[in-house]
Amino acid sequence: MSETSARLLNLLSLLQTPREWPGRELAERLGVTSRTIRRDIERLRDLGYPVHATMGAEGGYRLAAGTAMPPLLLDDEEAVAIAVGLRSTAGHTIAGIEEASVRALAKLEQVLPARLRRRVGTLGTATVPMPGDGGPTVDPEHLTVLAAAITNHERLRFRYRAGAGAVSKRLVEPHRLVAAGRRWYLVAYDNDREDWRIFRVDRLSEPFPTGVRATPRELPAADAGAYVRARMQGMTRTHRAVATVYAPAAEVAARLGGPAAGEVEALDEASCRWHSTSESLEWLAMRLALLGREFTVDEPPELVAYLREMGGRVSRAAGGSAADPS
């Protein structure tokens, strides 16, 4: 391959990243002059690639959508990642994606080098997808519209159905899409409510980019994933438990299996206090029961009531009684 052809392929690979590339930066990346970059851009245009140029301090070159999709230039890791992603079909939560994924995977595997086909095949035979749970699915066109608005920092309108069923119209500045479990969430700044919000994408309809650009805002969290996690935890009732366990702290900590099960505070050589949180009273009760030691629940009263009810069931089962406890 000639030096010019190789440089054109490298230039095209850079331009396929969705951003503006200043000519000076492209020249530094490829080790040539800005004049050479301008000539190479014209060569790509002659080959049918729609390379757009914008003027000004923030201007540069970008590859725009054309009448036909140009060949994608992928390195080995990118090709494997795309093939694995197509195999998993985005967790089956996107409506109609399965058939399109199969077609795209067939095209990709046809051109993959043998070494990459073996890697993809090994991953495919070693994994089994979890069957879908029949829950709500996401329209892939909605994801495309949302992603484009995020990339372009463009305000977006859509209709949104809340969990209680109420439907409202929203005007937002989209920030990020977050895939959490089997759900997709849009993190956005709600212009009408003047605050950050998260929206379940499967409850969103009629997304419409307004064409109005917005200056990116600073999210009140380390990243969008952390923001969604914190908001979801805030919407879930959490039980905070405190119990006195009549056993050495080191023994109790070892039986609990680590800090994820709670914090153990030594009271004296023969007793300690356990602090923990959970969404489930059952989990808290089982952790205490499985310690195999005497304990007293200090709080909450709901845990005391649950343990009393659970103890009654266990006592009746041990005594062979099938009587109705009521």
Side-chain angles (χ1 to χ4, degrees):
M1 182 182 295
S2 69
E3 180 181 345
T4 300
S5 298
R7 189 176 65 247
L8 283 177
L9 287 175
N10 288 332
L11 175 59
L12 181 58
S13 178
L14 291 173
L15 291 173
Q16 286 178 345
T17 302
R19 54 161 289 193
E20 296 276 351
W21 285 93
R24 182 178 63 258
E25 185 175 351
L26 289 174
E28 292 175 356
R29 288 288 192 104
L30 299 177
V32 296
T33 64
S34 296
R35 183 178 179 182
T36 299
I37 291 297
R38 289 194 294 271
R39 287 201 303 265
D40 287 347
I41 292 293
E42 289 304 319
R43 290 190 181 100
L44 290 177
R45 287 170 176 164
D46 291 340
L47 293 172
Y49 293 98
V51 182
H52 288 190
T54 55
M55 306 301 293
E58 299 298 325
Y61 299 102
R62 63 183 177 86
L63 188 63
T67 57
M69 188 177 74
L72 294 176
L73 302 175
L74 306 172
D75 61 29
D76 287 4
E77 300 304 322
E78 291 170 340
V80 171
I82 290 175
V84 172
L86 290 170
R87 281 181 178 270
S88 65
T89 61
H92 304 286
T93 60
I94 304 177
I97 202 70
E98 293 88 351
E99 182 181 351
S101 297
V102 170
R103 294 198 307 269
L105 182 61
K107 293 178 181 178
L108 180 60
E109 290 190 337
Q110 183 178 2
V111 297
L112 282 178
R115 67 181 188 282
L116 298 186
R117 280 201 303 271
R118 285 194 294 271
R119 289 176 62 182
V120 174
T122 299
L123 284 169
T125 56
T127 58
V128 177
M130 179 73 76
D133 59 3
T137 57
V138 174
D139 188 331
E141 292 187 8
H142 290 176
L143 286 177
T144 302
V145 171
L146 298 178
I150 290 168
T151 301
N152 297 330
H153 306 298
E154 187 175 0
R155 287 183 178 175
L156 190 74
R157 292 188 183 275
F158 54 81
R159 295 171 65 87
Y160 189 70
R161 176 179 52 82
V167 177
S168 59
K169 293 183 179 180
R170 301 297 183 101
L171 173 64
V172 306
E173 297 170 14
H175 178 74
R176 288 290 186 275
L177 284 166
V178 177
R182 299 186 59 79
R183 296 283 183 265
W184 285 85
Y185 296 91
L186 171 67
V187 177
Y189 184 84
D190 192 315
N191 294 92
D192 294 326
R193 291 154 180 80
E194 298 183 344
D195 197 6
W196 289 92
R197 293 287 190 273
I198 58 174
F199 302 94
R200 267 181 49 174
V201 178
D202 60 278
R203 294 178 178 170
L204 181 153
S205 63
E206 302 175 24
F208 176 74
T210 63
V212 177
R213 297 292 183 94
T215 302
R217 299 176 186 266
E218 184 176 353
L219 186 70
D223 54 55
Y227 182 76
V228 171
R229 182 165 54 250
R231 289 294 299 270
M232 292 177 68
Q233 289 174 347
M235 292 184 291
T236 302
R237 184 183 180 188
T238 302
H239 302 281
R240 303 181 184 278
V242 179
T244 301
V245 184
Y246 302 102
E251 177 187 331
V252 172
R255 286 178 175 270
L256 288 171
E263 178 184 349
V264 179
E265 172 193 2
L267 297 178
D268 53 41
E269 294 183 356
S271 65
C272 60
R273 183 165 289 129
W274 178 58
H275 302 261
S276 187
T277 59
S278 175
E279 299 172 14
S280 168
L281 286 173
E282 179 183 11
W283 184 90
L284 294 168
M286 291 302 297
R287 292 301 267 175
L288 285 168
L290 291 174
L291 288 176
R293 291 290 190 165
E294 296 292 325
F295 61 87
T296 302
V297 174
D298 303 312
E299 58 177 274
E302 295 91 345
L303 179 57
V304 175
Y306 187 91
L307 282 164
R308 186 176 293 118
E309 179 187 348
M310 184 176 74
R313 291 198 303 269
V314 173
S315 178
R316 288 189 296 274
S321 173
D324 187 341
S326 61

